[in-house]
Amino acid sequence: MTSPQRAPGGFPVVGIIGGGQLARMCQPPAINLSLTLSVLSEAPDAAAALVVPSAPVGSHLDVEEVLAFARDCDVVTFDHEHVPDEVLQALVDAGIPVHPKPEALLFAQDKLAMRGRLTALGVPCPAWARVQDEGELAAFGDLHGWPVILKTPRGGYDGKGVRVIGAASEAADWFAHGDALLAEERVPFSRELAVLVARSPSSQAAVWPIVQTVQTNGICTEVLAPAPELDPSLAAAASQAALQLAGALDITGVFAVEIFEIPGEGGGSPSYVVNELAMRPHNSGHWTMDGSVTSQFEQHLRAVLDLPLGAVTPRAPWTVMGNVLGGDYDELYPTYKHLLARDPGLKVHLYGKGVRPGRKIGHVNVYGDDLDALRERARHAADYFEGTVTE
Amino acid sequence: MTSPQRAPGGFPVVGIIGGGQLARMCQPPAINLSLTLSVLSEAPDAAAALVVPSAPVGSHLDVEEVLAFARDCDVVTFDHEHVPDEVLQALVDAGIPVHPKPEALLFAQDKLAMRGRLTALGVPCPAWARVQDEGELAAFGDLHGWPVILKTPRGGYDGKGVRVIGAASEAADWFAHGDALLAEERVPFSRELAVLVARSPSSQAAVWPIVQTVQTNGICTEVLAPAPELDPSLAAAASQAALQLAGALDITGVFAVEIFEIPGEGGGSPSYVVNELAMRPHNSGHWTMDGSVTSQFEQHLRAVLDLPLGAVTPRAPWTVMGNVLGGDYDELYPTYKHLLARDPGLKVHLYGKGVRPGRKIGHVNVYGDDLDALRERARHAADYFEGTVTE
């Protein structure tokens, strides 16, 4: 393993475990700031390995490989949340700064731990319970109503970590694994929002404007920044809660709080509950690459290095992000020629990944004054990449 | 030499000869667009080699090295204008698309050829002559007035390519080399401007708003975008002339036309003459990285690949660029921590180069509504990096 080349002048090396698109999108701001990235990649052609000179192949599950990788880094951070506790602890024991820290990362890795901590802090959550068997699940459903949302605290079974359960017996196969599960009431939400926050080890923190996320078949397909017609008191309360969480959990780096907006009864003010935490740059923050003075990727690098944070001011009244999902057609280059010609203001961000149906392979951003027109432009570009529109 | 890795989906490899900051600054837009760069670098630690995975070391003067490099590229372009004719011709003969083409590049490499062609096209130039000896220079100076600006058509002597000459005898040492020189009248200009243009092989072209460039000791230190209080008819004429030049010379890629603004007599409208041509992304266009919908580096990649060009709309009423020059202090990382804390909206672009006094090592961009405040912010940041202010 050759050491990453530093820029002269005392500039550090930031190690990122995982070579996906989040690591890849850290490279442009790293170049601007003269920081060197080193990426522990899953494969020689991982999304980040295509664009970062130092991208050794190795496994995030292997303590020795991770330690060898991290020896050249001034700080280690993550492309994903799947690094096991023992690997994180070995980094800490070796004296390597890790951000976010393992104690904080736990609350993004373990949904039962997250729910317990958020409830203790008074942050609004759906009604929830730790359920060990069908009997406990039935009791929860009878109290809070059916269907119930059932989640695996970590990972999932057969690639699924969330199910909608109409009766306790439907969960028999999951309980057969013997682990406790998380039961949550199904919240009657009107839409999904996300709060994106950055916090540094020195406790400087910054919150971007709250955005609306639109999901299609369980995948985020569109982000509207800022969330249209958001109740100001809800915005203030949710931003405040995200900052409170950041401090209480000692989160470092960029993180996202996914929330459900719940309509007020009888025309009253809406309220919210927290759905999930993600402790890394997040899909709901991709709009910041073109729509904010400081992008989430630049901010994440600044935060994990304990550099002063950048301004989170929006650069346009509206920015819309459209996720590009893979379709049946894998020759993207001719496709995007057409899109660049159709829309000279379209900002395309592709991840260097092979096309597979439904796979996130990129996103587009557009910004301006007319939200409806922006949504149409972003939607068209995403659909055209996917092949569901052809002109 | 290992081949550069392409992104799947039919995406091309853009070869850049020269590993300086211009090649380096192409990497962020290349990442977004899923293009692969390959850079023929002067050294393993060249500015671009620090950030581009494929950056073989080789000489732009060596035909075989350049051909071997170019075999993996779908198009070849340049970080600088110093590639010799025979190397350019060898690339063309090998069937490799080269942009800009050698026939166009000549007019950026040879100032006598440039003046001849511009004059033939009717583009405003200072009075000029090809002078072979002191007698011809004296005749020119007596006709157009002293002092005279004397230039070497290509390169320079002892690192200098331009001199201000008060009497023909002062140029004896340059004439001793035996080559023809370019004599130009000294123009009574009020300020320097630059027109930045992109043109593709399909003849699509786009012009950014004209900017003002501020030189200090012969080095560009500040760019104001757009040029304040620019006469609209001058702006239209100069933009039109730049587009005309682009077509007539069949220029491809991004190029800059440096012009002198000449005050109108008796309060009349100002006029202009062309000073220099640069056939590549240019210092006067660094503001576009944060101030334009499409940066000059993204546009250059789009142009040389014959992709549709992007919008050149400014993103803010004013953008100011300040060049960062090296000072006595070479530990830039602690320096920029202070600057990031002082100005959360400052966009820093460093080139990964070692500090030498007077060397261009980076630039900063700021944007907003108040031009004077922006100039102060950019000036402060550049001075602080250089070490001439300390707080």
Side-chain angles (χ1 to χ4, degrees):
Chain A
M1 210 182 277
T2 55
S3 295
Q5 274 199 94
R6 282 161 201 278
F11 289 93
V13 174
V14 177
I16 305 181
I17 297 182
Q21 63 258 34
L22 302 180
R24 176 183 173 98
M25 290 188 275
C26 286
Q27 174 71 332
I31 292 172
N32 291 337
L33 293 172
S34 202
L35 308 171
T36 296
L37 298 188
S38 185
V39 176
L40 187 66
S41 294
E42 293 76 8
D45 63 351
L50 293 176
V51 304
V52 172
S54 174
V57 173
S59 169
H60 63 278
L61 305 174
D62 185 311
V63 172
E64 290 312 314
E65 283 181 13
V66 171
L67 281 176
F69 163 77
R71 259 190 284 275
D72 287 319
C73 303
D74 296 285
V75 59
V76 168
T77 185
F78 310 98
D79 176 69
H80 56 68
E81 292 148 342
H82 309 313
V83 180
D85 297 336
E86 60 272 23
V87 175
L88 297 170
Q89 204 51 55
L91 286 169
V92 171
D93 292 346
I96 296 160
V98 175
H99 294 290
K101 295 177 200 165
E103 298 79 10
L105 206 51
L106 169 70
F107 299 104
Q109 293 175 321
D110 186 320
K111 291 185 172 68
L112 273 169
M114 181 269 285
R115 282 286 174 235
R117 192 64 198 275
L118 262 57
T119 302
L121 288 167
V123 173
C125 289
W128 66 277
R130 183 179 191 279
V131 289
Q132 194 75 47
D133 55 37
E134 290 177 48
E136 289 181 6
L137 175 58
F140 179 86
D142 291 344
L143 182 61
H144 295 286
W146 298 94
V148 165
I149 309 298
L150 193 64
K151 297 180 176 177
T152 56
R154 290 174 181 252
Y157 301 122
D158 301 325
K160 288 191 72 170
V162 181
R163 280 163 85 179
V164 181
I165 297 288
S169 58
E170 293 174 17
D173 56 332
W174 274 19
F175 284 119
H177 291 278
D179 299 315
L181 299 172
L182 170 63
E184 295 179 353
E185 68 170 323
R186 190 163 76 163
V187 174
F189 64 88
S190 46
R191 57 177 172 170
E192 295 185 59
L193 305 170
V195 193
L196 193 72
V197 185
R199 182 172 173 274
S200 70
S202 297
S203 301
Q204 191 192 3
V207 193
W208 280 271
I210 294 178
V211 301
Q212 177 177 346
T213 63
V214 179
Q215 324 284 322
T216 310
N217 301 325
I219 295 177
C220 174
T221 49
E222 188 186 29
V223 171
L224 314 180
E229 296 176 36
L230 184 61
D231 180 67
S233 58
L234 189 159
S239 299
Q240 186 55 40
L243 283 170
Q244 178 203 357
L245 265 184
L249 273 51
D250 194 16
I251 302 172
T252 42
V254 164
F255 71 101
V257 184
E258 299 177 32
I259 66 186
F260 291 135
E261 182 191 60
I262 302 169
E265 284 175 27
S269 294
S271 60
Y272 75 95
V273 293
V274 170
N275 179 27
E276 302 272 359
L277 295 188
M279 261 178 231
R280 47 173 170 72
H282 190 250
N283 202 162
S284 68
H286 289 356
W287 71 276
T288 61
M289 296 175 82
D290 298 293
S292 168
V293 172
T294 309
S295 80
Q296 66 167 345
F297 300 102
E298 175 173 342
Q299 197 79 301
H300 186 67
L301 294 173
R302 289 164 79 141
V304 301
L305 286 164
D306 209 10
L307 288 168
L309 299 181
V312 291
T313 323
R315 295 208 59 184
W318 299 105
T319 303
V320 174
M321 194 262 346
N323 264 346
V324 175
L325 304 180
D328 293 325
Y329 190 62
D330 63 4
E331 284 294 298
L332 291 184
Y333 187 61
T335 303
Y336 100 166
K337 278 188 192 182
H338 172 88
L339 287 174
L340 296 180
R342 185 183 194 269
D343 188 347
L346 186 74
K347 303 314 292 179
V348 174
H349 300 272
L350 295 179
Y351 306 155
K353 292 175 153 185
V355 169
R356 284 202 305 260
R359 185 187 205 190
K360 284 184 194 171
I361 55 173
H363 68 272
V364 296
N365 285 329
V366 286
Y367 44 80
D369 298 325
D370 181 339
L371 180 59
D372 290 337
L374 295 171
R375 293 185 74 172
E376 193 287 323
R377 287 166 61 193
R379 183 74 266 132
H380 173 273
D383 287 347
Y384 192 89
F385 270 122
E386 197 174 348
T388 54
V389 299
T390 55
E391 62 184 37
Chain B
M1 210 181 277
T2 53
S3 294
Q5 274 199 93
R6 282 162 201 278
F11 289 93
V13 174
V14 177
I16 305 181
I17 298 182
Q21 64 259 31
L22 300 181
R24 175 185 174 98
M25 289 188 278
C26 287
Q27 175 70 335
I31 293 171
N32 291 336
L33 292 172
S34 203
L35 308 170
T36 295
L37 298 187
S38 185
V39 177
L40 187 66
S41 295
E42 295 76 8
D45 63 350
L50 294 176
V51 304
V52 173
S54 173
V57 173
S59 169
H60 63 280
L61 305 173
D62 186 309
V63 172
E64 291 312 314
E65 283 180 14
V66 171
L67 282 176
F69 162 77
R71 260 191 281 277
D72 287 318
C73 303
D74 296 285
V75 60
V76 167
T77 186
F78 310 98
D79 175 69
H80 56 69
E81 291 147 345
H82 309 314
V83 180
D85 297 336
E86 61 271 22
V87 175
L88 296 170
Q89 206 49 58
L91 286 169
V92 171
D93 293 345
I96 296 159
V98 174
H99 293 291
K101 294 176 201 166
E103 299 78 11
L105 206 52
L106 169 70
F107 299 104
Q109 292 175 322
D110 185 321
K111 293 186 172 65
L112 274 168
M114 180 269 287
R115 281 286 175 236
R117 192 65 198 274
L118 263 58
T119 301
L121 289 167
V123 173
C125 289
W128 66 278
R130 182 179 191 278
V131 291
Q132 193 75 47
D133 55 35
E134 288 177 49
E136 289 181 8
L137 176 58
F140 180 86
D142 290 345
L143 181 62
H144 295 286
W146 299 94
V148 164
I149 309 299
L150 194 65
K151 298 179 176 178
T152 56
R154 289 174 180 254
Y157 301 122
D158 301 327
K160 286 192 73 171
V162 181
R163 280 162 84 179
V164 181
I165 297 288
S169 58
E170 293 175 15
D173 56 330
W174 274 18
F175 285 118
H177 291 278
D179 298 315
L181 299 173
L182 171 63
E184 295 180 351
E185 69 170 324
R186 190 163 74 163
V187 173
F189 64 87
S190 45
R191 57 177 173 170
E192 296 184 59
L193 305 170
V195 194
L196 194 71
V197 185
R199 183 172 173 274
S200 69
S202 298
S203 301
Q204 189 192 5
V207 193
W208 280 271
I210 294 179
V211 301
Q212 178 176 346
T213 63
V214 180
Q215 324 283 324
T216 310
N217 301 322
I219 296 176
C220 173
T221 48
E222 188 186 29
V223 170
L224 314 180
E229 296 176 34
L230 184 61
D231 180 68
S233 58
L234 189 157
S239 299
Q240 186 53 41
L243 283 171
Q244 179 202 356
L245 265 182
L249 273 50
D250 195 15
I251 303 172
T252 41
V254 164
F255 71 103
V257 184
E258 300 176 32
I259 66 186
F260 291 134
E261 180 191 63
I262 301 169
E265 284 177 25
S269 294
S271 60
Y272 76 94
V273 292
V274 169
N275 179 29
E276 305 268 1
L277 295 187
M279 259 177 233
R280 47 174 170 71
H282 190 251
N283 202 162
S284 68
H286 289 356
W287 71 274
T288 60
M289 297 174 82
D290 298 294
S292 168
V293 172
T294 309
S295 82
Q296 66 167 344
F297 299 102
E298 175 173 342
Q299 198 79 303
H300 186 67
L301 294 172
R302 290 165 78 140
V304 302
L305 286 164
D306 208 11
L307 288 169
L309 299 181
V312 291
T313 323
R315 296 208 58 184
W318 300 104
T319 302
V320 175
M321 192 255 359
N323 264 346
V324 175
L325 305 178
D328 294 325
Y329 189 64
D330 63 4
E331 284 294 299
L332 290 183
Y333 187 61
T335 303
Y336 100 167
K337 278 188 193 181
H338 173 88
L339 286 173
L340 297 181
R342 185 182 191 270
D343 188 346
L346 186 73
K347 302 316 291 181
V348 174
H349 301 273
L350 296 178
Y351 305 154
K353 291 175 153 186
V355 169
R356 283 200 308 260
R359 186 186 205 191
K360 284 183 195 172
I361 54 172
H363 68 271
V364 295
N365 284 331
V366 286
Y367 45 80
D369 299 324
D370 180 340
L371 180 59
D372 291 336
L374 295 171
R375 294 185 72 172
E376 193 286 323
R377 285 166 61 193
R379 184 75 266 133
H380 174 273
D383 287 347
Y384 192 89
F385 269 123
E386 196 175 348
T388 55
V389 299
T390 54
E391 64 184 36

PDB file of all heavy atoms in Angstrom, chain B residues 188 262-271:
ATOM      1  N   PRO B 188      -2.921  54.131 -24.216  1.00  0.00           N
ATOM      2  CA  PRO B 188      -3.308  54.857 -22.998  1.00  0.00           C
ATOM      3  C   PRO B 188      -4.580  54.277 -22.389  1.00  0.00           C
ATOM      4  O   PRO B 188      -5.619  54.916 -22.380  1.00  0.00           O
ATOM      5  CB  PRO B 188      -3.537  56.271 -23.520  1.00  0.00           C
ATOM      6  CG  PRO B 188      -4.075  56.054 -24.902  1.00  0.00           C
ATOM      7  CD  PRO B 188      -3.387  54.823 -25.427  1.00  0.00           C
ATOM      8  N   ILE B 262      -9.993  51.855 -23.674  1.00  0.00           N
ATOM      9  CA  ILE B 262      -9.386  53.169 -23.925  1.00  0.00           C
ATOM     10  C   ILE B 262     -10.460  54.228 -23.746  1.00  0.00           C
ATOM     11  O   ILE B 262     -11.541  54.131 -24.352  1.00  0.00           O
ATOM     12  CB  ILE B 262      -8.809  53.213 -25.360  1.00  0.00           C
ATOM     13  CG1 ILE B 262      -7.763  52.104 -25.504  1.00  0.00           C
ATOM     14  CG2 ILE B 262      -8.210  54.577 -25.665  1.00  0.00           C
ATOM     15  CD1 ILE B 262      -7.312  51.875 -26.941  1.00  0.00           C
ATOM     16  N   PRO B 263     -10.197  55.225 -22.872  1.00  0.00           N
ATOM     17  CA  PRO B 263     -11.222  56.221 -22.583  1.00  0.00           C
ATOM     18  C   PRO B 263     -11.608  56.984 -23.843  1.00  0.00           C
ATOM     19  O   PRO B 263     -10.748  57.250 -24.704  1.00  0.00           O
ATOM     20  CB  PRO B 263     -10.561  57.163 -21.578  1.00  0.00           C
ATOM     21  CG  PRO B 263      -9.268  56.538 -21.190  1.00  0.00           C
ATOM     22  CD  PRO B 263      -8.928  55.501 -22.194  1.00  0.00           C
ATOM     23  N   GLY B 264     -12.886  57.325 -23.983  1.00  0.00           N
ATOM     24  CA  GLY B 264     -13.339  58.137 -25.108  1.00  0.00           C
ATOM     25  C   GLY B 264     -12.800  59.550 -24.976  1.00  0.00           C
ATOM     26  O   GLY B 264     -12.623  60.056 -23.864  1.00  0.00           O
ATOM     27  N   GLU B 265     -12.534  60.168 -26.108  1.00  0.00           N
ATOM     28  CA  GLU B 265     -12.033  61.554 -26.054  1.00  0.00           C
ATOM     29  C   GLU B 265     -13.187  62.510 -25.826  1.00  0.00           C
ATOM     30  O   GLU B 265     -14.263  62.335 -26.382  1.00  0.00           O
ATOM     31  CB  GLU B 265     -11.310  61.883 -27.366  1.00  0.00           C
ATOM     32  CG  GLU B 265      -9.933  61.248 -27.427  1.00  0.00           C
ATOM     33  CD  GLU B 265      -9.224  61.495 -28.751  1.00  0.00           C
ATOM     34  OE1 GLU B 265      -9.545  62.488 -29.421  1.00  0.00           O
ATOM     35  OE2 GLU B 265      -8.350  60.673 -29.100  1.00  0.00           O
ATOM     36  N   GLY B 266     -12.934  63.512 -24.974  1.00  0.00           N
ATOM     37  CA  GLY B 266     -13.962  64.531 -24.725  1.00  0.00           C
ATOM     38  C   GLY B 266     -15.258  63.951 -24.205  1.00  0.00           C
ATOM     39  O   GLY B 266     -16.342  64.425 -24.567  1.00  0.00           O
ATOM     40  N   GLY B 267     -15.157  62.898 -23.339  1.00  0.00           N
ATOM     41  CA  GLY B 267     -16.373  62.335 -22.753  1.00  0.00           C
ATOM     42  C   GLY B 267     -17.120  61.393 -23.688  1.00  0.00           C
ATOM     43  O   GLY B 267     -18.232  60.959 -23.362  1.00  0.00           O
ATOM     44  N   GLY B 268     -16.543  61.056 -24.844  1.00  0.00           N
ATOM     45  CA  GLY B 268     -17.194  60.128 -25.774  1.00  0.00           C
ATOM     46  C   GLY B 268     -17.115  58.699 -25.268  1.00  0.00           C
ATOM     47  O   GLY B 268     -16.543  58.419 -24.209  1.00  0.00           O
ATOM     48  N   SER B 269     -17.703  57.784 -26.037  1.00  0.00           N
ATOM     49  CA  SER B 269     -17.713  56.375 -25.646  1.00  0.00           C
ATOM     50  C   SER B 269     -16.303  55.798 -25.670  1.00  0.00           C
ATOM     51  O   SER B 269     -15.484  56.163 -26.519  1.00  0.00           O
ATOM     52  CB  SER B 269     -18.580  55.574 -26.614  1.00  0.00           C
ATOM     53  OG  SER B 269     -19.916  55.964 -26.505  1.00  0.00           O
ATOM     54  N   PRO B 270     -16.006  54.890 -24.732  1.00  0.00           N
ATOM     55  CA  PRO B 270     -14.685  54.262 -24.749  1.00  0.00           C
ATOM     56  C   PRO B 270     -14.549  53.277 -25.913  1.00  0.00           C
ATOM     57  O   PRO B 270     -15.545  52.834 -26.474  1.00  0.00           O
ATOM     58  CB  PRO B 270     -14.643  53.524 -23.412  1.00  0.00           C
ATOM     59  CG  PRO B 270     -16.071  53.267 -23.076  1.00  0.00           C
ATOM     60  CD  PRO B 270     -16.856  54.419 -23.637  1.00  0.00           C
ATOM     61  N   SER B 271     -13.327  52.966 -26.256  1.00  0.00           N
ATOM     62  CA  SER B 271     -13.064  51.952 -27.278  1.00  0.00           C
ATOM     63  C   SER B 271     -12.128  50.907 -26.673  1.00  0.00           C
ATOM     64  O   SER B 271     -11.820  50.944 -25.476  1.00  0.00           O
ATOM     65  CB  SER B 271     -12.436  52.599 -28.516  1.00  0.00           C
ATOM     66  OG  SER B 271     -11.221  53.230 -28.161  1.00  0.00           O
TER      67      SER B 271
END
